[in-house]
Amino acid sequence: MTSQDCIALIPARGGSKGLPRKNVLPLAGKPLIAWTIDAALRASSIRTVYVTTDDAEIAEVSRAAGAQVIHRPADLASDTATSESALLHALDAIQTQTGSLPEFTAFLQCTSPLTIPEDIDGTVALLRAGAASALGVTAFHHFLWREEDDGAQGINHDKSVRLRRQDMSPQWLETGSIYAFRSADFQTHEHRFFGRVGLYPIPQDRVLEIDVPSDFDLAQARMSETA
């Protein structure tokens, strides 16, 4: 798989309410963000890995891990700023620096340290196969409910028919770890999902988002088991 036309973009701002400084906290021997950078560097589909950040320490750690750094303005690093705004700024900066826009962009979340190179390559491959945008998902076999005035109602099932797990049609849960899209189309739509969207299945044992201290503890335990 050629890596000439795809980059990885990793947003990592300094502020974090649920787990302060989480992006640089040591996890199983190295800073949290370094796990995602390493996976991207080892992915055969990725030409260059960029981290967009407003934080000097994150920038230093990212460079040490092998990524290039794009400085993110403070107004794009607030609690209300969207990931899309940071990605658009970064792509503009890359286009200015290099004189060209990569055909594909893999948007990776550094809060998902269990991501492996094969997950990145598999998601990017969906773009090469014709998808306009893509994301990592995991199989979902749970029953969802909502409360209504006349009592609880099934959302993804008929409450009067109790299907066995193996009889349920597959549904897919967004992992939050990997997204990919055609760069120029993303600039046009300014959103990560557009056109034909591809789904890349990821096993449940590689799905983990770190938002609060208990997530970090779980990641420590799971990565120690596989070390």
Side-chain angles (χ1 to χ4, degrees), residues 8-13 22-23 27 32-40 49-52 72 81-84 86-87 106-116 120 135-136 174-181 192-193 202 206 208-211:
L9 261 181
I10 305 171
R13 65 189 185 91
K22 68 181 177 183
N23 292 326
L27 173 67
L32 173 60
I33 194 172
W35 289 99
T36 301
I37 293 172
D38 180 66
V49 180
Y50 293 91
V51 170
T52 168
R72 192 193 315 187
T82 64
S83 295
E84 275 80 358
L87 296 172
F107 159 31
L108 309 178
Q109 298 276 30
C110 62
T111 48
S112 295
L114 301 182
T115 298
I116 63 174
I120 301 170
L135 69 154
E174 191 172 325
T175 66
S177 58
I178 304 172
Y179 306 88
F181 41 75
R192 72 191 74 177
F193 302 124
I202 297 175
R206 287 205 301 275
L208 175 64
E209 287 187 274
I210 296 179
D211 292 315

Side-chain angles (χ1 to χ4, degrees), residues 13-23 79 211:
R13 65 189 185 91
S16 175
K17 296 293 179 61
L19 182 59
R21 308 299 301 162
K22 68 181 177 183
N23 292 326
D79 290 339
D211 292 315

